[in-house]
Amino acid sequence: MAVFSDPDSAIAIPMHQHVAQLLRVLIFFCLLAVLVYTLAGPIDRSLIPLRLVVVIPLITAFLVALWLVRRQRLRQASWLLIGSLWVILTITATLSGGITAPAFAALPIVVVMSGVLLGRRWAWIIALLSIGVGSLFVLFAGRVLPPPFVHSPLSWLIAYGLYLLLGSYFIDRLVQHFHQSLRETEKELRERQATEQQLRVSEEKLARLFDLAPFAMIIVRLHDEVIINANAACREFFGVSSEQLIKQPISALHWSQLPSQWPTIAATLHQQGSVYGVEFSFQRRDNTTCFAQLAAEIVEMPEGLCAIVAMQDVTPLRRANERLVELAAHQEQLATLAREALANSNLDALFTVVAEQIGSTLPLSGIEIMEFDPEGDVRVHTVWGNVPTAPLSIAFLRSLPADHPGWSCLPKELADRVADLGLSGAALPIRGNERLFGLLVAYAAAPLDTEAVFFLRSVANVLAVALERLYAEQERHQIETQMLQAQKLESLGLLAGGIAHDFNNLLTGIMGHTSLALLDLHPNHELQPHLVAIDQAAQRAAELCSQLLAYAGRGQRSLEAVNLSTLVREMGGILHLPNHRSGHVTIHYDLATDLPSVVVEASQIRQVVLNLLTNAIEAIGDRGGSVTLRTGVVTLSATDLRRLNLTPTIPPGRYVTLTVSDTGVGMDEVTMRRIFDPFFSTKPKGHGLGLAAVQGIVRRHHGAIKVESTPGLGSSFTIYLPAAGKEVAVGPSPVTKPITLQGTALIADDDVAVRTTLRRILERAGMVTIEAGDGRSALTLLTESTIPITIALVDLAMPGMNGLELLDAIRRHELQLPVLLMSGNAEQVVTGKLPSDRYTDFLPKPYRSHDLLTKISQLIQNATRGIPLG
């Protein structure tokens, strides 16, 4: 429609409302005109039906048009109003006299209304149609029906009055509309000028923002692919000048991948209008390769269809992604190393795999993996690649604390070794929870970055976990071995103690009766040599029992403070060496002169020296060699003890050492694991108790043994005995003169043969005896006998009430009764609660009659005189 033909105009809505109001007014005015003309116009009453036939459709059309206006359907309402008016007026003119009819005179108003409501084209069409109808009226004037009545001046006045009012109204509305249009046009022009000014300002700001934008941006004309503008960030981004970018085609950017990718970008822009996330590489002036990501959008510009391209430097992100890939590879390498560490218990193989993995992951020149043993000694376990040959500063490495964090670059002490090679690197500690296991040193042609040092530190941590696990496994295995050995020794000790007890009871009878027979026979009697032989054989059997008990750690103990060097030196003149081999062996003594004392049983330590020396000479054999006896003193820390791996374990402290070394055949590892087993011997006629007894003696003295041997080069046995804190007094010398006794002796022993032997020995010495086969019987005799008891001889191992329980019961009745305890198993004295007073003493089985009478005599004298035992 003419009045709102521009729907995009800013005044479209107000004009639309204006036309709607105009239509309403016109429709009401036309309704009013029709009603007035119909009611006021002179007409024959016979023509009223004919007029109603014309008026009613016209009113109906007006009402429908009014309904369409309310529904905002203005164009349909305009067509209905104009069309119905023109048709009704034309028909009315035809029926009322043609061109002279008042209805025909109203057609110009319809033309004006059509121009206003429907536009110029329809105004011309309605005007031409009206002229054509008027021409027909003129051409066929004779055939046109005459008017049914004569138009009076009053009818013409009414008709033209209505026409003038309607025309005036239209002119008034048109003038108002014209003035309002002028005002709105003027307002729109002012607003357009302001908008254009703002656009110019915005364009200037946009140009400044474009040039100052932090992102690199270019504007490319699409039809010829020429860069028409580039901001400062873009010039700085690519490192080029304005002349090298602006007014240059995309193909001129030969230093980037953008020309090769631009056809695809342009095609996507034409299809979708925008493109995002396209990545390309380029080179800066320093020949470094960088990466950028672009986003582009099509815009209409005075220069034509263009693309605004924004670019962002993604080189750090690209590098970060590459680092992430490298870190993922490093993590995979660490996982592989961790699996290898868990599966591999061979340190050399593990370190070799670690060095190869590090070398394949990082650009290194060489790798050194150093291990620190508990003593602080440094061992270069693994070498990979090009490493310095200059010696290590051992003192520097030993001084490293257990919690040392390591170095990201080589410290001076290590850097000096590669000064001539021009290498850099890092040194990372292999650190466990409690100590420093070693050092991982990496050499590189250039300084290592943070990620490489972090990877090396992670590898060092994996190695630390592996080493800690291996050492813990070794320690656990060692503890298990020691526990098994202790259990084995305990079992064998119980067996040896039981055998020795029963065997010593038998030997007691043999040796007692033999000594009695020797006393009864004349010295030149023919049975004298046989009895002496029996006594010597029994004595050797007693020594064998003593070895069994010594191995089991259950032998008799008579401690004294001795100087180990003095003891070994005194034995030098009385050692009985094998005659057929001693001539081929040279014995060397390297004895310390300032040794502290050791509290030991001297006879058993002599047995240890003799057994070790005998084994050394046997190991040398006929080929000749030397044996060295060496003494010394050491202070062992917990670290020393872990390194020495002594058997059995001993606490840290000060120890006196005895070392017996030989140049014999040596031992392999299998033999070394069994040398302390009882009844194991490499000698054709050996009984296998020598070293077993040595171990038992050393263990009972709270010491330890260290064995070192190499097949073909000899062996070395080192005994560690605790140094004494104070001297121990030496007991008095035994009495050797014949002994005569008086009084009554109570014998309590479950072995009949032992009781018989004791009875005969004591009766021969002048005493009266009474016997009991168990502890309760002995206690009954003691409490109910009317004969005063002078001394009680009690066996410790008796069924029911044992010797110690009997001793407690005796002390409750007789506090000062002398009691001599006896046992074939001396452990009962070592581990029992034997009182130490002047009325109690102990005598091990077997014994000679003289030893027995000597102990009894001393106890009776001590009890009588009140002299405490020595």
Side-chain angles (χ1 to χ4, degrees):
M1 298 177 67
V3 294
F4 54 94
S5 58
D6 184 12
D8 295 330
S9 174
I11 61 172
I13 294 177
M15 290 301 298
H16 188 84
Q17 296 174 352
H18 175 70
V19 171
Q21 183 65 26
L22 178 63
L23 275 172
R24 291 190 194 96
V25 173
L26 286 175
I27 292 171
F28 282 118
F29 191 85
C30 290
L31 281 172
L32 179 63
V34 170
L35 291 175
V36 171
Y37 181 78
T38 301
L39 297 176
I43 190 171
D44 190 353
R45 291 180 179 270
S46 61
L47 295 179
I48 291 177
L50 181 61
R51 179 169 291 187
L52 293 176
V53 170
V54 175
V55 170
I56 290 174
L58 187 61
I59 294 174
T60 302
F62 289 164
L63 294 176
V64 172
L66 183 63
W67 178 81
L68 289 175
V69 171
R70 290 181 179 178
R71 303 287 292 179
Q72 297 298 320
R73 297 167 67 175
L74 303 183
R75 195 169 187 82
Q76 291 86 340
S78 300
W79 276 106
L80 183 60
L81 178 64
I82 299 300
S84 60
L85 280 175
W86 190 84
V87 171
I88 293 301
L89 289 175
T90 303
I91 294 173
T92 301
T94 303
L95 298 176
S96 302
I99 197 169
T100 61
F104 186 80
L107 289 179
I109 299 175
V110 175
V111 171
V112 174
M113 291 176 62
S114 64
V116 172
L117 297 177
L118 299 177
R120 293 178 299 172
R121 184 178 60 179
W122 289 105
W124 283 104
I125 292 173
I126 297 299
L128 291 175
L129 288 175
S130 299
I131 293 172
V133 171
S135 300
L136 292 176
F137 286 161
V138 174
L139 182 62
F140 300 102
R143 300 182 180 181
V144 175
L145 295 177
F149 56 90
V150 179
H151 296 292
S152 63
L154 179 61
S155 63
W156 281 106
L157 177 64
I158 293 172
Y160 281 109
L162 291 175
Y163 297 158
L164 289 174
L165 290 175
L166 184 62
S168 299
Y169 175 77
F170 269 109
I171 292 171
D172 178 66
R173 299 302 296 179
L174 287 175
V175 171
Q176 290 183 7
H177 174 67
F178 178 73
H179 287 168
Q180 185 176 357
S181 299
L182 287 177
R183 289 193 298 272
E184 290 176 352
T185 301
E186 183 180 4
K187 180 181 178 181
E188 185 177 358
L189 286 175
R190 287 197 302 270
E191 291 177 352
R192 185 183 297 274
Q193 289 176 354
T195 303
E196 290 177 353
Q197 180 65 26
Q198 292 176 355
L199 285 176
R200 284 193 297 271
V201 174
S202 298
E203 287 176 355
E204 293 176 358
K205 290 182 178 180
L206 183 61
R208 288 197 300 272
L209 288 175
F210 176 80
D211 195 59
L212 297 176
F215 295 104
M217 299 178 69
I218 60 174
I219 300 176
V220 182
R221 193 164 51 218
L222 290 178
H223 75 275
D224 58 1
E225 298 181 355
V226 172
I227 301 173
I228 61 176
N229 200 356
N231 64 353
C234 180
R235 299 191 295 270
E236 183 180 357
F237 181 72
F238 291 115
V240 296
S241 62
S242 300
E243 292 76 11
Q244 292 175 300
L245 282 178
I246 300 176
K247 296 183 181 180
Q248 296 295 325
I250 287 289
S251 58
L253 308 182
H254 55 83
W255 32 265
S256 75
Q257 290 182 338
L258 189 58
S260 62
Q261 295 180 241
W262 184 256
T264 304
I265 297 172
T268 305
L269 285 173
H270 284 295
Q271 293 176 1
Q272 302 178 3
S274 60
V275 65
Y276 302 96
V278 178
E279 189 172 307
F280 65 93
S281 65
F282 64 94
Q283 282 189 330
R284 288 196 172 101
R285 288 183 177 180
D286 57 0
N287 293 325
T288 57
T289 301
C290 299
F291 299 89
Q293 194 175 77
L294 65 81
E297 188 90 15
I298 284 185
V299 293
E300 184 70 36
M301 300 186 69
E303 292 83 355
L305 199 62
C306 299
I308 296 180
V309 183
M311 291 163 286
Q312 182 181 9
D313 187 3
V314 295
T315 304
L317 180 61
R318 185 73 174 262
R319 297 285 186 262
N321 290 333
E322 293 174 355
R323 292 281 179 85
L324 287 177
V325 173
E326 293 178 2
L327 289 177
H330 290 175
Q331 293 298 325
E332 180 62 27
Q333 293 286 355
L334 289 175
T336 302
L337 291 178
R339 290 191 294 269
E340 187 70 26
L342 290 174
N344 201 336
S345 58
N346 187 326
L347 287 183
D348 289 325
L350 174 61
F351 288 160
T352 300
V353 170
V354 169
E356 291 175 354
Q357 291 279 6
I358 298 174
S360 64
T361 305
L362 299 178
L364 301 178
S365 301
I367 299 170
E368 282 183 307
I369 300 180
M370 307 173 190
E371 182 190 8
F372 302 163
D373 63 12
E375 294 298 307
D377 294 333
V378 179
R379 175 189 175 194
V380 180
H381 236 297
T382 302
V383 174
W384 178 89
N386 181 22
V387 299
T389 57
L392 289 165
S393 176
I394 304 299
F396 161 71
L397 297 175
R398 285 178 179 174
S399 64
L400 296 180
D403 58 348
H404 196 280
W407 298 272
S408 298
C409 57
L410 292 178
K412 184 178 185 304
E413 290 77 1
L414 297 178
D416 291 342
R417 301 174 64 227
V418 294
D420 297 336
L421 301 176
L423 295 176
S424 301
L428 288 310
I430 304 172
R431 185 175 64 245
N433 291 329
E434 296 181 355
R435 70 180 185 89
L436 192 64
F437 292 121
L439 198 65
L440 171 62
V441 184
Y443 300 99
L448 297 175
D449 56 15
T450 305
E451 285 76 11
V453 175
F454 177 78
F455 176 70
L456 291 173
R457 182 171 283 110
S458 301
V459 171
N461 292 336
V462 170
L463 285 177
V465 172
L467 288 175
E468 197 149 33
R469 182 186 65 83
L470 287 176
Y471 290 143
E473 185 68 22
Q474 292 174 0
E475 186 174 354
R476 183 186 64 82
H477 180 70
Q478 179 182 349
I479 292 174
E480 288 179 352
T481 302
Q482 292 173 355
M483 290 180 63
L484 290 174
Q485 182 70 9
Q487 292 173 359
K488 180 175 66 175
L489 292 176
E490 182 68 22
S491 300
L492 291 175
L494 292 173
L495 176 63
I499 293 174
H501 176 267
D502 295 337
F503 198 44
N504 280 331
N505 282 339
L506 297 175
L507 291 176
T508 299
I510 294 172
M511 294 174 66
H513 286 289
T514 302
S515 61
L516 289 175
L518 288 174
L519 292 174
D520 291 339
L521 290 178
H522 191 275
N524 296 325
H525 197 279
E526 60 181 1
L527 295 178
Q528 186 82 11
H530 302 292
L531 294 174
V532 171
I534 292 173
D535 186 68
Q536 291 176 350
Q539 184 63 36
R540 285 195 296 272
E543 292 176 357
L544 181 59
C545 285
S546 177
Q547 284 187 336
L548 282 173
L549 291 173
Y551 156 72
R554 289 168 165 80
Q556 180 187 5
R557 302 195 72 182
S558 178
L559 302 178
E560 55 183 314
V562 299
N563 185 291
L564 195 57
S565 294
T566 303
L567 185 145
V568 174
R569 190 179 297 108
E570 290 175 351
M571 289 184 65
I574 61 174
L575 289 175
H576 299 288
L577 302 178
N579 294 328
H580 63 289
R581 292 179 178 173
S582 59
H584 303 285
V585 178
T586 302
I587 300 179
H588 300 285
Y589 294 94
D590 183 10
L591 306 178
T593 58
D594 54 350
L595 286 183
S597 298
V598 289
V599 179
V600 295
E601 187 174 354
S603 61
Q604 291 193 352
I605 299 302
R606 291 189 183 95
Q607 183 180 346
V608 168
V609 177
L610 181 59
N611 285 347
L612 294 179
L613 184 59
T614 301
N615 285 342
I617 294 172
E618 292 285 348
I620 293 173
D622 296 332
R623 65 177 185 173
S626 62
V627 178
T628 302
L629 282 79
R630 182 181 298 106
T631 58
V633 60
V634 294
T635 300
L636 299 180
S637 63
T639 303
D640 299 328
L641 294 172
R642 283 196 299 268
R643 175 180 58 85
L644 292 173
N645 191 20
L646 300 177
T647 304
T649 56
I650 53 178
R654 195 166 179 237
Y655 289 86
V656 177
T657 63
L658 167 64
T659 303
V660 179
S661 304
D662 65 71
T663 58
V665 295
M667 295 177 288
D668 58 18
E669 187 176 351
V670 176
T671 303
M672 287 180 63
R673 285 200 296 266
R674 299 194 60 192
I675 55 175
F676 294 113
D677 292 347
F679 312 114
F680 171 78
S681 177
T682 58
K683 305 173 187 177
K685 297 183 181 181
H687 51 66
L689 287 176
L691 288 178
V694 168
Q695 187 186 52
I697 293 170
V698 172
R699 185 172 63 251
R700 291 181 64 236
H701 286 85
H702 308 292
I705 304 175
K706 175 69 175 177
V707 182
E708 298 173 300
S709 184
T710 303
L713 298 180
S715 304
S716 177
F717 289 77
T718 301
I719 309 298
Y720 293 83
L721 297 173
K726 59 181 180 178
E727 298 293 332
V728 178
V730 180
S733 302
V735 179
T736 57
K737 64 182 180 179
I739 299 173
T740 301
L741 301 173
Q742 294 179 352
T744 301
L746 171 61
I747 301 173
D749 199 307
D750 61 327
D751 193 301
V752 177
V754 173
R755 294 201 305 270
T756 302
T757 302
L758 287 172
R759 175 172 51 80
R760 291 178 179 176
I761 293 173
L762 294 177
E763 289 177 351
R764 184 179 181 85
M767 296 193 76
V768 178
T769 61
I770 56 176
E771 301 177 21
D774 55 61
R776 297 191 183 279
S777 300
L779 183 59
T780 301
L781 289 175
L782 182 65
T783 56
E784 297 181 357
S785 176
T786 58
I787 303 174
I789 304 300
T790 307
I791 188 170
L793 282 66
V794 178
D795 183 38
L796 289 177
M798 291 186 297
M801 179 183 289
N802 61 33
L804 290 177
E805 292 173 345
L806 177 57
L807 177 62
D808 291 338
I810 291 173
R811 288 291 175 250
R812 286 196 294 270
H813 295 84
E814 298 287 346
L815 294 176
Q816 298 181 357
L817 177 66
V819 178
L820 179 60
L821 300 174
M822 298 176 293
S823 177
N825 186 356
E827 180 203 8
Q828 295 170 315
V829 179
V830 176
T831 61
K833 299 179 180 179
L834 181 64
S836 177
D837 55 51
R838 63 174 177 262
Y839 305 110
T840 308
D841 203 350
F842 174 78
L843 179 65
K845 299 177 182 178
Y847 45 78
R848 290 187 174 89
S849 59
H850 182 78
D851 298 332
L852 173 65
L853 297 176
T854 300
K855 284 285 186 182
I856 294 173
S857 176
Q858 289 177 354
L859 275 173
I860 294 173
Q861 290 177 12
N862 291 337
T864 302
R865 300 175 183 176
I867 300 174
L869 293 175

